[in-house]
Amino acid sequence: MKEVIFINDKNYRDYLNLDVVAFSFAYGGAMGSGGEIIVITKGAGIYSMNYVFGDMTIEMCDEVCSTLKDCEFGVLEVEKTPNGWKGIGLGMGNFLVLAEPIYNRIGRNLLKLRPSFRYREWRGMVLELLETPRT
């Protein structure tokens, strides 16, 4: 299991240039870990930050994951993403945003799953894709 690096208000400036390819966003009252944002980078790094439980603000999270500030999340679905990104609802106040190349390779399989299974499986699917050499 890959180690998750926790980002907080004291160290977030060390992570401003991450090459983000996927991230999840949870509303403060979401099922699971409310307020958590999980970021996966091109190099298969996993980062976690939380704008509800902890000292980070959503603006600090936006600095780490700049795509986040251009997204809009509705009740069930990601309503807006910037060009080059696609969103998927994970259920119960949780959302996933993927870079289009990642979405194009796993999005269809994720959408076949019920939201609760998407929530549980997305991270492993993205990491497997990033760690498997293309042939």
Side-chain angles (χ1 to χ4, degrees):
M1 186 74 154
K2 290 190 84 69
E3 178 183 348
V4 176
I5 296 170
F6 292 93
I7 301 174
N8 59 44
D9 65 319
K10 310 252 185 305
N11 70 2
Y12 81 97
R13 286 187 176 90
D14 297 337
Y15 300 101
L16 298 183
N17 295 309
L18 297 176
D19 192 359
V20 178
V21 296
F23 66 93
S24 65
F25 172 85
Y27 281 129
M31 295 295 285
S33 186
E36 183 176 37
I37 299 168
I38 297 173
V39 174
I40 297 184
T41 62
K42 187 174 184 177
I46 307 170
Y47 302 83
S48 174
M49 51 191 169
N50 196 305
Y51 65 96
V52 174
F53 299 105
D55 296 324
M56 288 195 69
T57 64
I58 192 68
E59 292 80 15
M60 290 174 183
C61 296
D62 287 345
E63 287 186 58
V64 172
C65 183
S66 61
T67 303
L68 174 63
K69 69 179 169 259
D70 295 321
C71 294
E72 292 179 14
F73 304 97
V75 175
L76 299 174
E77 293 297 329
V78 179
E79 294 184 350
K80 178 186 168 199
T81 59
N83 288 336
W85 295 84
K86 298 285 186 184
I88 297 174
L90 299 176
M92 302 300 202
N94 295 281
F95 305 91
L96 175 62
V97 179
L98 301 168
E100 274 187 19
I102 303 292
Y103 181 89
N104 292 341
R105 294 189 56 204
I106 66 171
R108 185 174 312 200
N109 289 335
L110 274 168
L111 290 170
K112 288 179 186 177
L113 300 173
R114 291 189 322 211
S116 60
F117 288 105
R118 289 181 210 157
Y119 175 84
R120 188 180 72 207
E121 300 295 327
W122 78 267
R123 194 181 334 182
M125 292 172 75
V126 170
L127 290 171
E128 182 179 344
L129 178 68
L130 293 172
E131 293 170 346
T132 303
R134 285 189 92 166
T135 55

